[in-house]
Protein backbone atom coordinates (compact mmCIF):
# COMPACT_ATOMS: atom_id res chain seq x y z
CA UNK A 1 0.00 0.00 0.00
CA UNK A 2 1.38 3.39 -0.98
CA UNK A 3 2.22 6.03 1.58
CA UNK A 4 -0.59 8.29 0.31
CA UNK A 5 -3.14 5.48 0.55
CA UNK A 6 -1.97 4.58 4.05
CA UNK A 7 -2.27 8.19 5.18
CA UNK A 8 -5.68 8.47 3.54
CA UNK A 9 -7.12 5.41 5.25
CA UNK A 10 -5.55 6.48 8.53
CA UNK A 11 -7.16 9.87 8.06
CA UNK A 12 -10.53 8.30 7.24
CA UNK A 13 -10.25 6.16 10.37
CA UNK A 14 -9.62 9.11 12.65
CA UNK A 15 -12.19 11.17 10.77
CA UNK A 16 -14.67 8.37 11.43
CA UNK A 17 -13.76 8.30 15.12
CA UNK A 18 -14.02 12.09 15.29
CA UNK A 19 -17.41 11.98 13.58
CA UNK A 20 -18.91 9.17 15.66
CA UNK A 21 -17.39 10.07 19.02
CA UNK A 22 -17.77 13.81 18.46
CA UNK A 23 -21.37 13.39 17.39
CA UNK A 24 -22.08 11.21 20.41
CA UNK A 25 -20.61 13.74 22.82
CA UNK A 26 -22.33 16.70 21.16
CA UNK A 27 -25.57 14.76 21.00
CA UNK A 28 -25.45 13.71 24.66
CA UNK A 29 -24.55 17.14 25.97
CA UNK A 30 -27.19 18.74 23.74
CA UNK A 31 -29.86 16.44 25.15
CA UNK A 32 -28.99 17.29 28.75
CA UNK A 33 -28.92 21.02 28.01
CA UNK A 34 -32.22 20.86 26.09
CA UNK A 35 -33.84 19.30 29.16
CA UNK A 36 -32.35 21.91 31.48
CA UNK A 37 -32.92 25.00 29.34
CA UNK A 38 -35.94 26.45 27.54
CA UNK A 39 -36.34 26.88 23.75
CA UNK A 40 -36.17 30.67 24.26
CA UNK A 41 -32.60 30.40 25.56
CA UNK A 42 -31.45 28.44 22.52
CA UNK A 43 -33.26 31.01 20.38
CA UNK A 44 -31.25 33.88 21.89
CA UNK A 45 -27.98 32.14 20.96
CA UNK A 46 -29.40 31.43 17.51
CA UNK A 47 -29.86 35.17 16.96
CA UNK A 48 -26.08 35.73 16.85
CA UNK A 49 -25.24 32.62 14.81
CA UNK A 50 -25.11 34.43 11.46
CA UNK A 51 -23.11 37.34 12.90
CA UNK A 52 -20.28 35.16 14.18
CA UNK A 53 -20.32 32.83 11.19
CA UNK A 54 -19.78 35.79 8.85
CA UNK A 55 -17.04 37.24 11.06
CA UNK A 56 -15.11 33.97 11.20
CA UNK A 57 -15.34 33.69 7.42
CA UNK A 58 -13.85 37.17 7.07
CA UNK A 59 -10.96 36.29 9.36
CA UNK A 60 -10.00 33.25 7.37
CA UNK A 61 -10.29 35.36 4.18
CA UNK A 62 -10.07 32.25 2.04
CA UNK A 63 -6.34 32.01 2.74
CA UNK A 64 -6.63 28.64 4.46
CA UNK A 65 -8.01 27.09 1.27
CA UNK A 66 -5.33 28.95 -0.69
CA UNK A 67 -2.67 27.34 1.51
CA UNK A 68 -4.40 23.97 1.28
CA UNK A 69 -4.25 23.80 -2.50
CA UNK A 70 -0.59 24.86 -2.78
CA UNK A 71 1.66 21.89 -3.44
CA UNK A 72 4.34 23.44 -1.19
CA UNK A 73 4.04 26.02 1.59
CA UNK A 74 7.07 27.76 3.07
CA UNK A 75 7.43 28.92 6.71
CA UNK A 76 7.00 32.44 5.40
CA UNK A 77 3.65 31.50 3.80
CA UNK A 78 2.32 30.18 7.09
CA UNK A 79 3.63 33.09 9.19
CA UNK A 80 2.26 35.69 6.80
CA UNK A 81 -1.22 34.20 6.82
CA UNK A 82 -1.05 33.78 10.61
CA UNK A 83 -0.32 37.46 11.27
CA UNK A 84 -2.82 38.58 8.66
CA UNK A 85 -5.57 36.52 10.32
CA UNK A 86 -4.74 37.94 13.76
CA UNK A 87 -4.96 41.50 12.46
CA UNK A 88 -8.31 40.91 10.76
CA UNK A 89 -9.72 39.19 13.87
CA UNK A 90 -8.85 42.17 16.09
CA UNK A 91 -10.53 44.55 13.64
CA UNK A 92 -13.68 42.44 13.71
CA UNK A 93 -13.66 42.21 17.48
CA UNK A 94 -13.76 46.01 17.67
CA UNK A 95 -16.54 46.17 15.05
CA UNK A 96 -18.68 43.61 16.87
CA UNK A 97 -18.07 45.26 20.25
CA UNK A 98 -19.41 48.63 19.09
CA UNK A 99 -22.23 47.31 16.88
CA UNK A 100 -23.64 45.00 19.58
CA UNK A 101 -26.31 47.55 20.70
CA UNK A 102 -27.64 47.83 17.13
CA UNK A 103 -27.87 44.04 16.77
CA UNK A 104 -29.69 43.81 20.11
CA UNK A 105 -32.10 46.50 18.94
CA UNK A 106 -32.72 44.68 15.63
CA UNK A 107 -33.72 41.49 17.45
CA UNK A 108 -35.39 43.37 20.31
CA UNK A 109 -33.29 41.41 22.81
CA UNK A 110 -31.23 43.61 25.23
CA UNK A 111 -29.20 40.63 26.56
CA UNK A 112 -27.47 40.37 23.20
CA UNK A 113 -25.24 43.39 23.89
CA UNK A 114 -23.19 41.64 26.58
CA UNK A 115 -23.47 38.23 24.91
CA UNK A 116 -22.01 39.51 21.64
CA UNK A 117 -19.18 41.35 23.39
CA UNK A 118 -18.19 38.20 25.29
CA UNK A 119 -18.60 35.75 22.40
CA UNK A 120 -16.62 38.02 20.06
CA UNK A 121 -13.45 36.70 21.68
CA UNK A 122 -13.94 33.37 19.87
CA UNK A 123 -13.06 35.15 16.62
CA UNK A 124 -9.66 36.20 17.97
CA UNK A 125 -9.08 32.80 19.58
CA UNK A 126 -9.91 30.96 16.36
CA UNK A 127 -7.58 33.19 14.33
CA UNK A 128 -4.63 32.08 16.47
CA UNK A 129 -5.05 28.41 15.47
CA UNK A 130 -6.20 28.48 11.84
CA UNK A 131 -2.72 27.86 10.42
CA UNK A 132 -2.06 24.95 12.80
CA UNK A 133 -5.26 23.33 11.61
CA UNK A 134 -4.34 23.87 7.95
CA UNK A 135 -0.93 22.24 8.44
CA UNK A 136 -2.41 19.20 10.19
CA UNK A 137 -5.01 18.83 7.45
CA UNK A 138 -2.37 19.07 4.70
CA UNK A 139 -0.49 16.30 6.48
CA UNK A 140 -3.75 14.28 6.75
CA UNK A 141 -3.10 14.20 10.49
CA UNK A 142 -6.61 13.83 11.86
CA UNK A 143 -5.55 11.78 14.85
CA UNK A 144 -4.31 14.83 16.72
CA UNK A 145 -7.22 16.98 15.57
CA UNK A 146 -9.68 14.32 16.73
CA UNK A 147 -8.16 14.08 20.22
CA UNK A 148 -8.17 17.86 20.59
CA UNK A 149 -11.72 18.17 19.29
CA UNK A 150 -13.04 15.52 21.67
CA UNK A 151 -11.23 16.98 24.69
CA UNK A 152 -12.55 20.49 24.05
CA UNK A 153 -16.10 19.20 23.45
CA UNK A 154 -16.15 17.17 26.67
CA UNK A 155 -14.70 19.87 28.93
CA UNK A 156 -16.87 22.69 27.53
CA UNK A 157 -19.97 20.47 27.54
CA UNK A 158 -19.55 19.44 31.17
CA UNK A 159 -19.02 23.09 32.13
CA UNK A 160 -22.21 24.10 30.30
CA UNK A 161 -24.24 21.41 32.07
CA UNK A 162 -22.93 22.48 35.50
CA UNK A 163 -23.71 26.14 34.77
CA UNK A 164 -27.19 25.26 33.47
CA UNK A 165 -27.91 23.28 36.65
CA UNK A 166 -26.80 26.28 38.70
CA UNK A 167 -29.32 28.49 36.90
CA UNK A 168 -27.03 30.48 34.59
CA UNK A 169 -29.46 30.11 31.68
CA UNK A 170 -28.19 31.50 28.38
CA UNK A 171 -24.72 32.06 29.85
CA UNK A 172 -24.21 28.32 30.16
CA UNK A 173 -24.36 28.16 26.34
CA UNK A 174 -22.21 31.27 25.93
CA UNK A 175 -19.41 29.83 28.05
CA UNK A 176 -19.74 26.43 26.36
CA UNK A 177 -18.97 28.04 22.99
CA UNK A 178 -16.20 30.27 24.34
CA UNK A 179 -14.44 27.58 26.40
CA UNK A 180 -14.62 25.03 23.58
CA UNK A 181 -12.81 27.40 21.18
CA UNK A 182 -10.29 28.38 23.86
CA UNK A 183 -9.35 24.81 24.78
CA UNK A 184 -9.22 23.78 21.12
CA UNK A 185 -6.87 26.66 20.33
CA UNK A 186 -4.62 26.07 23.34
CA UNK A 187 -4.26 22.35 22.60
CA UNK A 188 -3.47 22.99 18.93
CA UNK A 189 -0.65 25.30 20.05
CA UNK A 190 0.61 22.83 22.64
CA UNK A 191 0.69 19.77 20.40
CA UNK A 192 1.33 21.26 16.97
CA UNK A 193 4.95 21.33 15.84
CA UNK A 194 4.50 24.66 14.06
CA UNK A 195 4.90 28.12 15.55
CA UNK A 196 5.07 31.44 13.67
CA UNK A 197 8.35 33.09 12.73
CA UNK A 198 8.92 36.83 12.58
CA UNK A 199 8.23 36.93 8.87
CA UNK A 200 5.55 38.74 6.90
CA UNK A 201 5.44 39.17 3.14
CA UNK A 202 3.05 41.42 1.26
CA UNK A 203 3.97 39.54 -1.92
CA UNK A 204 2.59 36.31 -0.43
CA UNK A 205 -0.68 38.07 0.37
CA UNK A 206 -0.78 39.40 -3.19
CA UNK A 207 -0.02 35.95 -4.57
CA UNK A 208 -2.83 34.33 -2.57
CA UNK A 209 -5.26 37.21 -3.03
CA UNK A 210 -6.64 36.45 -6.54
CA UNK A 211 -7.79 32.98 -5.48
CA UNK A 212 -8.45 33.76 -1.82
CA UNK A 213 -10.48 36.93 -2.44
CA UNK A 214 -12.91 34.97 -4.58
CA UNK A 215 -12.99 32.24 -1.94
CA UNK A 216 -13.74 34.93 0.65
CA UNK A 217 -16.70 36.11 -1.41
CA UNK A 218 -17.77 32.50 -1.84
CA UNK A 219 -17.38 31.81 1.87
CA UNK A 220 -19.42 34.84 2.84
CA UNK A 221 -22.24 33.91 0.48
CA UNK A 222 -22.17 30.28 1.62
CA UNK A 223 -22.27 31.36 5.25
CA UNK A 224 -25.12 33.75 4.51
CA UNK A 225 -27.16 31.13 2.63
CA UNK A 226 -26.60 28.55 5.36
CA UNK A 227 -27.43 30.85 8.28
CA UNK A 228 -29.86 33.46 6.94
CA UNK A 229 -32.69 31.45 8.48
CA UNK A 230 -31.52 32.39 11.98
CA UNK A 231 -31.78 36.05 11.01
CA UNK A 232 -35.24 35.76 9.47
CA UNK A 233 -36.72 33.60 12.25
CA UNK A 234 -35.08 35.66 15.01
CA UNK A 235 -36.41 38.92 13.57
CA UNK A 236 -39.96 37.92 12.64
CA UNK A 237 -40.81 35.15 15.13
CA UNK A 238 -40.58 34.70 18.94
CA UNK A 239 -37.28 33.49 20.41
CA UNK A 240 -38.88 30.13 21.24
CA UNK A 241 -39.58 29.45 17.55
CA UNK A 242 -35.94 30.12 16.74
CA UNK A 243 -35.08 27.77 19.59
CA UNK A 244 -37.10 24.98 17.96
CA UNK A 245 -35.37 25.58 14.65
CA UNK A 246 -31.94 25.76 16.33
CA UNK A 247 -32.47 22.42 18.07
CA UNK A 248 -33.57 20.79 14.79
CA UNK A 249 -30.56 22.28 12.98
CA UNK A 250 -28.20 20.96 15.66
CA UNK A 251 -29.57 17.43 15.27
CA UNK A 252 -29.20 17.73 11.49
CA UNK A 253 -25.67 19.17 11.77
CA UNK A 254 -24.52 16.04 13.62
CA UNK A 255 -24.79 14.21 10.30
CA UNK A 256 -23.89 16.97 7.85
CA UNK A 257 -20.89 18.39 9.71
CA UNK A 258 -19.54 15.40 11.58
CA UNK A 259 -20.00 12.69 8.96
CA UNK A 260 -20.14 14.22 5.49
CA UNK A 261 -18.01 17.18 6.59
CA UNK A 262 -15.31 14.88 7.97
CA UNK A 263 -15.21 12.83 4.77
CA UNK A 264 -14.79 16.00 2.75
CA UNK A 265 -12.08 17.27 5.12
CA UNK A 266 -10.11 14.02 4.85
CA UNK A 267 -10.35 13.57 1.09
CA UNK A 268 -9.75 17.18 0.00
CA UNK A 269 -5.95 17.17 0.57
CA UNK A 270 -5.76 13.74 -1.09
CA UNK A 271 -7.55 14.96 -4.21
CA UNK A 272 -5.44 18.14 -4.24
CA UNK A 273 -2.32 15.98 -4.55
CA UNK A 274 -3.83 14.43 -7.72
CA UNK A 275 -4.87 17.69 -9.38
CA UNK A 276 -2.37 17.32 -12.25
CA UNK A 277 -3.46 13.75 -13.08
CA UNK A 278 -6.93 14.09 -14.62
CA UNK A 279 -7.70 10.39 -15.00
CA UNK A 280 -6.58 9.49 -11.50
CA UNK A 281 -8.38 12.53 -10.09
CA UNK A 282 -11.67 11.51 -11.72
CA UNK A 283 -11.32 7.88 -10.59
CA UNK A 284 -10.70 8.84 -6.97
CA UNK A 285 -13.32 11.60 -7.03
CA UNK A 286 -15.97 9.11 -8.17
CA UNK A 287 -15.14 6.84 -5.23
CA UNK A 288 -15.28 9.71 -2.76
CA UNK A 289 -18.51 10.96 -4.32
CA UNK A 290 -20.24 7.59 -3.96
CA UNK A 291 -18.91 7.04 -0.44
CA UNK A 292 -20.02 10.46 0.76
CA UNK A 293 -23.52 10.03 -0.68
CA UNK A 294 -23.88 6.48 0.65
CA UNK A 295 -23.06 7.43 4.24
CA UNK A 296 -24.73 10.85 4.40
CA UNK A 297 -27.98 9.90 2.65
CA UNK A 298 -28.44 6.85 4.86
CA UNK A 299 -27.72 8.78 8.07
CA UNK A 300 -29.99 11.72 7.17
CA UNK A 301 -32.92 9.57 6.10
CA UNK A 302 -32.67 7.43 9.23
CA UNK A 303 -32.62 10.60 11.33
CA UNK A 304 -35.74 11.86 9.52
CA UNK A 305 -37.50 8.53 10.11
CA UNK A 306 -36.80 8.44 13.86
CA UNK A 307 -37.17 12.21 14.40
CA UNK A 308 -40.53 12.03 16.20
CA UNK A 309 -39.81 9.34 18.81
CA UNK A 310 -36.21 10.51 19.16
CA UNK A 311 -37.10 14.10 20.07
CA UNK A 312 -40.04 13.17 22.29
CA UNK A 313 -38.06 10.57 24.24
CA UNK A 314 -34.77 12.41 24.56
CA UNK A 315 -35.71 16.06 25.09
CA UNK A 316 -39.43 16.00 25.79
CA UNK A 317 -42.73 17.28 24.47
CA UNK A 318 -41.72 20.93 24.91
CA UNK A 319 -39.57 20.46 21.77
CA UNK A 320 -42.29 18.78 19.66
CA UNK A 321 -42.39 21.65 17.18
CA UNK A 322 -38.80 20.77 16.20
CA UNK A 323 -39.85 17.40 14.69
CA UNK A 324 -41.18 18.68 11.36
CA UNK A 325 -38.30 21.18 11.06
CA UNK A 326 -35.78 18.37 11.55
CA UNK A 327 -37.41 16.13 8.93
CA UNK A 328 -37.45 18.93 6.34
CA UNK A 329 -33.84 19.88 7.14
CA UNK A 330 -32.78 16.25 6.62
CA UNK A 331 -34.46 16.16 3.21
CA UNK A 332 -32.74 19.37 2.16
CA UNK A 333 -29.34 18.22 3.41
CA UNK A 334 -29.46 15.05 1.29
CA UNK A 335 -27.95 17.10 -1.52
CA UNK A 336 -25.07 18.38 0.61
CA UNK A 337 -22.54 15.70 -0.51
CA UNK A 338 -23.18 16.43 -4.21
CA UNK A 339 -22.94 20.17 -3.65
CA UNK A 340 -19.80 19.99 -1.53
CA UNK A 341 -17.96 17.48 -3.72
CA UNK A 342 -18.63 19.36 -6.96
CA UNK A 343 -17.50 22.62 -5.37
CA UNK A 344 -14.34 20.85 -4.20
CA UNK A 345 -13.45 20.06 -7.80
CA UNK A 346 -13.63 23.76 -8.60
CA UNK A 347 -11.40 24.52 -5.59
CA UNK A 348 -8.89 21.85 -6.58
CA UNK A 349 -8.74 23.20 -10.12
CA UNK A 350 -8.32 26.75 -8.83
CA UNK A 351 -11.57 27.98 -10.38
CA UNK A 352 -12.55 30.34 -7.61
CA UNK A 353 -14.18 32.57 -10.25
CA UNK A 354 -16.72 29.86 -11.03
CA UNK A 355 -17.29 29.16 -7.35
CA UNK A 356 -18.07 32.83 -6.72
CA UNK A 357 -20.42 32.88 -9.71
CA UNK A 358 -22.28 29.86 -8.34
CA UNK A 359 -22.60 31.43 -4.92
CA UNK A 360 -24.06 34.61 -6.40
CA UNK A 361 -26.72 32.46 -8.07
CA UNK A 362 -27.48 31.00 -4.63
CA UNK A 363 -28.03 34.52 -3.27
CA UNK A 364 -30.75 34.99 -5.89
CA UNK A 365 -32.30 31.67 -4.88
CA UNK A 366 -32.44 32.91 -1.27
CA UNK A 367 -35.08 35.54 -2.10
CA UNK A 368 -38.06 33.15 -2.46
CA UNK A 369 -36.91 31.26 0.66
CA UNK A 370 -36.84 34.40 2.82
CA UNK A 371 -40.16 35.74 1.51
CA UNK A 372 -41.83 32.37 2.07
CA UNK A 373 -40.52 32.27 5.65
CA UNK A 374 -41.77 35.77 6.45
CA UNK A 375 -45.25 35.32 4.98
CA UNK A 376 -46.00 31.59 5.29
CA UNK A 377 -43.91 30.31 8.22
CA UNK A 378 -40.88 28.15 8.90
CA UNK A 379 -42.15 24.84 7.50
CA UNK A 380 -42.97 26.25 4.08
CA UNK A 381 -39.69 28.15 4.08
CA UNK A 382 -37.84 24.84 4.49
CA UNK A 383 -39.89 23.26 1.68
CA UNK A 384 -38.86 26.04 -0.70
CA UNK A 385 -35.29 25.63 0.56
CA UNK A 386 -35.34 21.98 -0.58
CA UNK A 387 -36.49 23.01 -4.07
CA UNK A 388 -33.83 25.70 -4.45
CA UNK A 389 -31.16 23.30 -3.14
CA UNK A 390 -32.01 20.85 -5.92
CA UNK A 391 -31.64 23.65 -8.48
CA UNK A 392 -28.30 24.76 -6.98
CA UNK A 393 -26.99 21.18 -6.94
CA UNK A 394 -27.80 20.76 -10.62
CA UNK A 395 -26.00 24.00 -11.53
CA UNK A 396 -22.93 23.05 -9.45
CA UNK A 397 -22.74 19.68 -11.17
CA UNK A 398 -22.73 21.22 -14.64
CA UNK A 399 -19.64 23.33 -13.96
CA UNK A 400 -17.72 20.54 -12.23
CA UNK A 401 -18.58 18.08 -15.01
CA UNK A 402 -16.66 20.13 -17.56
CA UNK A 403 -13.46 20.08 -15.50
CA UNK A 404 -13.14 16.32 -14.93
CA UNK A 405 -15.56 14.93 -17.52
CA UNK A 406 -17.99 13.66 -14.89
CA UNK A 407 -21.50 14.65 -16.01
CA UNK A 408 -24.57 15.02 -13.81
CA UNK A 409 -26.03 11.98 -15.59
CA UNK A 410 -22.99 9.89 -14.69
CA UNK A 411 -23.09 11.17 -11.10
CA UNK A 412 -26.74 10.15 -10.73
CA UNK A 413 -26.02 6.75 -12.28
CA UNK A 414 -23.24 6.19 -9.73
CA UNK A 415 -25.43 6.92 -6.72
CA UNK A 416 -28.67 5.38 -8.03
CA UNK A 417 -27.99 1.85 -6.65
CA UNK A 418 -27.38 3.29 -3.18
CA UNK A 419 -30.42 5.54 -3.45
CA UNK A 420 -32.78 2.65 -4.27
CA UNK A 421 -31.46 0.42 -1.50
CA UNK A 422 -31.51 3.11 1.17
CA UNK A 423 -34.96 4.46 0.24
CA UNK A 424 -36.38 0.94 0.69
CA UNK A 425 -34.82 0.73 4.16
CA UNK A 426 -36.04 4.16 5.25
CA UNK A 427 -39.55 3.56 3.87
CA UNK A 428 -39.81 0.49 6.08
CA UNK A 429 -38.60 2.52 9.09
CA UNK A 430 -41.18 5.25 8.42
CA UNK A 431 -43.91 2.58 8.19
CA UNK A 432 -43.26 1.60 11.81
CA UNK A 433 -44.57 5.04 12.89
CA UNK A 434 -48.10 3.88 11.97
CA UNK A 435 -47.99 1.06 14.50
CA UNK A 436 -49.72 1.66 17.88
CA UNK A 437 -46.50 1.60 19.94
CA UNK A 438 -45.11 3.98 22.51
CA UNK A 439 -42.23 6.22 21.51
CA UNK A 440 -39.47 4.06 22.98
CA UNK A 441 -40.80 0.83 21.45
CA UNK A 442 -41.32 2.60 18.12
CA UNK A 443 -37.74 3.85 18.03
CA UNK A 444 -36.34 0.43 19.00
CA UNK A 445 -38.49 -1.29 16.37
CA UNK A 446 -37.35 1.19 13.73
CA UNK A 447 -33.74 0.49 14.68
CA UNK A 448 -34.16 -3.28 14.43
CA UNK A 449 -35.99 -3.06 11.09
CA UNK A 450 -33.39 -0.65 9.69
CA UNK A 451 -30.38 -2.70 10.76
CA UNK A 452 -31.84 -6.00 9.51
CA UNK A 453 -32.76 -4.59 6.11
CA UNK A 454 -29.43 -2.79 5.80
CA UNK A 455 -27.46 -5.98 6.45
CA UNK A 456 -29.66 -8.09 4.16
CA UNK A 457 -29.54 -5.67 1.24
CA UNK A 458 -25.94 -4.51 1.43
CA UNK A 459 -24.47 -7.91 2.18
CA UNK A 460 -26.29 -9.25 -0.86
CA UNK A 461 -25.34 -6.36 -3.18
CA UNK A 462 -21.74 -6.00 -1.93
CA UNK A 463 -21.35 -2.46 -3.25
CA UNK A 464 -17.61 -1.55 -3.47
CA UNK A 465 -17.85 1.46 -1.16
CA UNK A 466 -19.82 -0.53 1.39
CA UNK A 467 -17.23 -3.31 1.35
CA UNK A 468 -14.41 -0.78 1.71
CA UNK A 469 -16.04 0.96 4.66
CA UNK A 470 -16.89 -2.34 6.35
CA UNK A 471 -13.25 -3.43 6.11
CA UNK A 472 -12.10 -0.08 7.48
CA UNK A 473 -14.49 -0.25 10.44
CA UNK A 474 -13.52 -3.83 11.31
CA UNK A 475 -9.82 -2.99 11.04
CA UNK A 476 -10.29 -0.09 13.42
CA UNK A 477 -12.25 -2.24 15.86
CA UNK A 478 -9.52 -4.89 15.77
CA UNK A 479 -6.78 -2.31 16.15
CA UNK A 480 -8.30 -0.96 19.34
CA UNK A 481 -9.22 -4.50 20.50
CA UNK A 482 -12.94 -3.80 20.54
CA UNK A 483 -13.33 -7.05 18.62
CA UNK A 484 -10.88 -9.88 18.01
CA UNK A 485 -10.04 -11.64 14.78
Amino acid sequence: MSSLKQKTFHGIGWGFIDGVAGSGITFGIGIVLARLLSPEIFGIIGMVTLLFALSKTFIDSGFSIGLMRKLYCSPEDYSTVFYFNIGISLIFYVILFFTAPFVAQFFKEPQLITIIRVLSWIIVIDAFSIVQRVILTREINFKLQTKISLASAIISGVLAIVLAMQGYGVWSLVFQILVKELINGILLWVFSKWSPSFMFSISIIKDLLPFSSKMLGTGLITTLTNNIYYLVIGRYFPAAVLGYYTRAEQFNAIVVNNISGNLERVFFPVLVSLQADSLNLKYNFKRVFRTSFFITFMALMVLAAVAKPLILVLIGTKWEQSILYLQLLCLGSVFFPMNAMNLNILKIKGRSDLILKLQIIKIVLLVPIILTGIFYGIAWMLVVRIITTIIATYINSIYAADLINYSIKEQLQDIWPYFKAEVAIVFAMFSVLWLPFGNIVTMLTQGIVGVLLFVLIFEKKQFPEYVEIKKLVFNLLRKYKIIVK
Side-chain angles (χ1 to χ4, degrees):
M1 184 181 291
S2 66
S3 175
L4 178 60
K5 190 172 182 181
Q6 285 178 331
K7 290 177 71 177
T8 303
F9 277 100
H10 196 249
I12 295 170
W14 279 103
F16 175 79
I17 293 171
D18 191 11
V20 174
S23 297
I25 292 167
T26 302
F27 189 70
I29 290 169
I31 289 169
V32 176
L33 290 173
R35 284 188 168 276
L36 293 171
L37 303 172
S38 67
E40 287 84 357
I41 288 174
F42 284 91
I44 292 171
I45 293 297
M47 290 175 184
V48 297
T49 298
L50 174 60
L51 186 67
F52 285 104
L54 286 172
S55 300
K56 291 182 75 172
T57 302
F58 257 111
I59 293 163
D60 182 44
S61 306
F63 285 146
S64 65
I65 299 175
L67 291 175
M68 282 288 299
R69 68 175 301 274
K70 289 186 71 172
L71 293 177
Y72 170 76
C73 290
S74 68
E76 191 173 19
D77 287 328
Y78 290 134
S79 294
T80 297
V81 171
F82 172 80
Y83 291 121
F84 184 85
N85 285 342
I86 298 300
I88 294 295
S89 71
L90 291 172
I91 292 172
F92 269 89
Y93 176 81
V94 173
I95 292 172
L96 289 172
F97 186 92
F98 287 106
T99 56
F102 302 104
V103 177
Q105 186 177 11
F106 176 82
F107 286 110
K108 301 174 183 178
E109 186 59 61
Q111 290 185 80
L112 288 180
I113 297 175
T114 310
I115 290 172
I116 290 171
R117 288 174 173 174
V118 172
L119 277 180
S120 294
W121 283 108
I122 66 174
I123 297 170
V124 180
I125 293 167
D126 191 57
F128 271 90
S129 56
I130 286 176
V131 172
Q132 282 90 342
R133 197 174 291 114
V134 167
I135 293 171
L136 292 174
T137 302
R138 281 176 61 90
E139 296 172 349
I140 320 180
N141 183 357
F142 294 99
K143 180 178 181 179
L144 179 58
Q145 292 188 67
T146 296
K147 291 179 177 179
I148 290 172
S149 174
L150 295 180
S152 59
I154 292 170
I155 296 170
S156 61
V158 170
L159 174 65
I161 291 171
V162 171
L163 291 175
M165 293 175 67
Q166 295 297 318
Y168 282 85
V170 70
W171 287 100
S172 59
L173 298 181
V174 170
F175 283 108
Q176 180 189 20
I177 298 168
L178 188 63
V179 170
K180 183 178 180 180
E181 290 291 335
L182 182 61
I183 293 173
N184 196 72
I186 290 172
L187 292 179
L188 279 170
W189 270 85
V190 170
F191 293 105
S192 174
K193 297 177 182 177
W194 181 85
S195 59
S197 304
F198 293 103
M199 295 186 290
F200 185 88
S201 172
I202 293 296
S203 62
I204 290 174
I205 298 295
K206 290 180 179 178
D207 181 55
L208 290 170
L209 201 57
F211 178 83
S212 296
S213 61
K214 294 184 180 69
M215 290 310 302
L216 169 60
T218 298
L220 290 173
I221 295 172
T222 300
T223 301
L224 182 64
T225 55
N226 289 341
N227 295 281
I228 191 69
Y229 314 101
Y230 293 99
L231 181 68
V232 174
I233 300 170
R235 179 65 178 85
Y236 293 98
F237 296 89
V241 175
L242 181 55
Y244 297 132
Y245 174 84
T246 300
R247 174 49 48 188
E249 182 63 69
Q250 287 171 344
F251 271 89
N252 181 65
I254 289 174
V255 175
V256 175
N257 296 340
N258 291 315
I259 297 179
S260 186
N262 270 319
L263 283 171
E264 181 189 355
R265 190 163 54 105
V266 170
F267 279 111
F268 183 75
V270 177
L271 295 175
V272 165
S273 68
L274 302 172
Q275 59 183 286
D277 185 349
S278 298
L279 290 177
N280 207 8
L281 176 61
K282 180 181 177 180
Y283 171 75
N284 283 280
F285 179 81
K286 283 164 64 75
R287 294 182 62 193
V288 176
F289 186 81
R290 290 192 297 264
T291 301
S292 183
F293 179 84
F294 158 52
I295 297 175
T296 309
F297 183 76
M298 187 75 249
L300 284 168
M301 289 299 93
V302 167
L303 182 58
V306 303
K308 182 178 179 179
L310 183 72
I311 287 177
L312 293 179
V313 169
L314 294 181
I315 56 179
T317 55
K318 69 178 179 180
W319 293 96
E320 189 171 3
Q321 194 170 327
S322 298
I323 296 169
L324 178 59
Y325 298 164
L326 175 57
Q327 291 172 329
L328 292 173
L329 284 168
C330 287
L331 285 174
S333 299
V334 161
F335 305 97
F336 178 81
M338 295 182 70
N339 256 316
M341 295 306 300
N342 281 299
L343 282 176
N344 272 343
I345 283 296
L346 301 182
K347 293 175 187 177
I348 290 165
K349 291 292 186 177
R351 294 304 304 270
S352 55
D353 56 326
L354 291 180
I355 297 174
L356 182 57
K357 183 177 180 180
L358 288 170
Q359 299 306 90
I360 292 172
I361 294 173
K362 289 181 181 179
I363 283 288
V364 176
L365 293 175
L366 268 181
V367 175
I369 299 176
I370 293 171
L371 292 177
T372 302
I374 294 172
F375 293 106
Y376 296 99
I378 315 305
W380 281 109
M381 179 180 76
L382 294 176
V383 171
V384 175
R385 179 186 179 183
I386 293 170
I387 296 169
T388 58
T389 301
I390 294 171
I391 296 170
T393 301
Y394 175 73
I395 296 170
N396 282 4
S397 303
I398 292 173
Y399 281 99
D402 292 337
L403 294 175
I404 60 169
N405 192 30
Y406 189 33
S407 67
I408 181 66
K409 181 180 179 181
E410 192 176 353
Q411 291 181 21
L412 292 175
Q413 286 174 340
D414 278 348
I415 63 175
W416 180 245
Y418 289 109
F419 178 82
K420 289 191 299 181
E422 292 174 347
V423 164
I425 296 168
V426 173
F427 179 78
M429 294 180 69
F430 264 110
S431 300
V432 175
L433 293 172
W434 293 95
L435 299 175
F437 297 151
N439 290 318
I440 295 177
V441 176
T442 296
M443 191 162 55
L444 289 173
T445 306
Q446 285 181 305
I448 293 169
V449 169
V451 170
L452 287 176
L453 285 176
F454 182 86
V455 172
L456 286 172
I457 294 173
F458 281 87
E459 282 297 316
K460 180 180 179 180
K461 296 292 185 180
Q462 290 291 300
F463 296 121
E465 284 69 34
Y466 165 73
V467 173
E468 195 91 29
I469 291 170
K470 186 174 75 170
K471 287 180 180 177
L472 174 64
V473 171
F474 275 94
N475 287 337
L476 282 170
L477 294 175
R478 291 189 187 101
K479 180 177 179 180
Y480 295 103
K481 299 180 180 179
I482 299 173
I483 62 171
V484 295
K485 294 183 180 180

